[in-house]
Amino acid sequence: MPDINVLLVGTGALGSIYAWRLQEGGIHVTCVCRSNYTAVKSSGFRITSDKYGNHTYMPTRVVQSVDEAADTEYDFIIVCTKALPNISDNSHIIAPAIGPRTIILLIQNGIGIEQPFAERYPHTPIASVISYIDVSQPESGTIEHGTISSLLMGIYSNPDDLVRQRLDALSNTWNEQGALCRVVDDVQPYRWLKLVWNASFNTVSVVSGGNNTREMLDNPQCKELLRNIMREVYAIGEAATGKPLPERMGINGPDGFIEETDKRDVAVVPSMLMDYRARRPMEHDVILGRPLQAARQMGISAPYMEAVYAMLVMVEKTNL
């Protein structure tokens, strides 16, 4: 099999795990690191994983920018940066590395994240990817991973049989290395499904004053707020996709999400709350702003999401 070259942009906690699994499968992985560049370049990623064990992962190549990596032709460019279109359109950063064989994979949260890339690269195939993973980077180059690492992806633009075959092959590598991956014909319902949790627990954790999932669910009023936001996401998502949102691991509907989260042994500190505490920009535009824009266009009322979104934007403004 010919060598496969992957460029991974935004190699933080999430990106490091998926890059590691690909490289374990024989794929050459170039990692673009920014704040953690010095640590990773000198010592690699020091990974503690309940699923894969402890390991020091040294990427095939570590660079500080896409420009530095642009001397190679890449089969796949995987984007793991945060989606912050309200701050800037970062789709341009991968331009120097785009080649005739490149497929772009976007592993990002939220709705509408594909559009800037599709507009900038109209002839390059794009895959939209959803990730479920419990991982953090408490300090540069130090990765703490639990037991979850799964991906679900589908072609967003420029579909053809060869693109699907190449995505299937990449998916097989992840699966062989223990990162569950599935390619589906229509990924958007799954993107809305993930939003059910993100639009509720993530956002309310911040506007409620900095609470984890246990603290939020222990408060009856907050629990009902979460449920109402989830109902709104379901209504908007099903109208936008024209079909019922799918199940995931037997979870279906707001009550299913709440019950599953409530049963977890360890309370979750949502990633948006981590960003708030670290005074980093939050992904409120793609998690609430874009879905609300879709709701207005379809004439769907979402007062709970509207209220939380207004507060979240104000809270961020005073925090940055």
Side-chain angles (χ1 to χ4, degrees), residues 275-301:
D275 287 337
Y276 174 77
R277 288 173 173 171
R279 296 184 178 274
R280 295 188 294 258
M282 297 179 287
E283 295 178 299
H284 53 69
D285 187 66
V286 294
I287 287 176
L288 284 179
R290 299 295 175 90
L292 283 168
Q293 185 179 43
R296 295 185 201 106
Q297 291 171 349
M298 295 183 292
I300 297 173
S301 177

Side-chain angles (χ1 to χ4, degrees), residues 88-264:
S88 66
D89 172 8
N90 70 351
S91 61
H92 68 281
I93 64 173
I94 63 172
I98 295 286
R101 280 181 47 82
T102 301
I103 297 175
I104 301 169
L105 276 69
L106 302 176
I107 309 182
Q108 296 179 310
N109 286 324
I111 300 300
I113 53 100
E114 307 93 348
Q115 184 179 352
F117 291 87
E119 291 176 352
R120 190 177 294 272
Y121 311 107
H123 305 297
T124 301
I126 295 173
S128 183
V129 190
I130 299 150
S131 167
Y132 291 91
I133 190 167
D134 52 339
V135 66
S136 64
Q137 184 174 211
E139 58 183 73
S140 289
T142 298
I143 307 298
E144 295 179 356
H145 174 237
T147 60
I148 302 170
S149 55
S150 68
L151 296 161
L152 194 145
M153 60 181 170
I155 301 172
Y156 178 80
S157 62
N158 298 300
D160 63 37
D161 291 342
L162 180 57
V163 171
R164 177 61 185 255
Q165 291 170 13
R166 292 175 62 198
L167 287 177
D168 284 338
L170 190 72
S171 174
N172 288 340
T173 300
W174 266 316
N175 279 310
E176 289 165 2
Q177 299 304 318
L180 302 179
C181 186
R182 183 159 62 102
V183 183
V184 297
D185 292 332
D186 185 4
V187 73
Q188 291 304 317
Y190 294 92
R191 186 165 283 285
W192 281 96
L193 183 69
K194 187 175 182 185
L195 191 73
V196 173
W197 200 97
N198 280 339
S200 53
F201 282 104
N202 252 311
T203 63
V204 174
S205 71
V206 176
V207 300
S208 66
N211 291 287
N212 63 35
T213 54
R214 168 66 44 234
E215 292 162 337
M216 285 186 278
L217 290 174
D218 281 346
N219 181 288
Q221 289 79 23
C222 188
K223 187 175 183 178
E224 189 60 21
L225 172 61
L226 296 166
R227 182 179 285 108
N228 284 323
I229 292 172
M230 291 179 185
R231 287 173 179 151
E232 291 177 347
V233 175
Y234 265 94
I236 302 167
E238 290 181 349
T241 61
K243 61 184 70 173
L245 299 192
E247 293 185 3
R248 179 180 179 270
M249 298 176 63
I251 301 170
N252 185 31
D255 290 341
F257 275 94
I258 288 173
E259 182 180 354
E260 186 276 334
T261 305
D262 206 15
K263 285 181 177 178
R264 297 186 189 184

Side-chain angles (χ1 to χ4, degrees), residues 50-79:
D50 294 335
K51 184 172 186 177
Y52 304 117
N54 301 340
H55 185 75
T56 297
Y57 163 53
M58 180 61 74
T60 308
R61 188 179 179 193
V62 180
V63 298
Q64 276 186 298
S65 68
V66 175
D67 284 329
E68 187 181 344
D71 56 357
T72 298
E73 185 171 318
Y74 294 99
D75 299 277
F76 300 95
I77 296 178
I78 303 176
V79 179

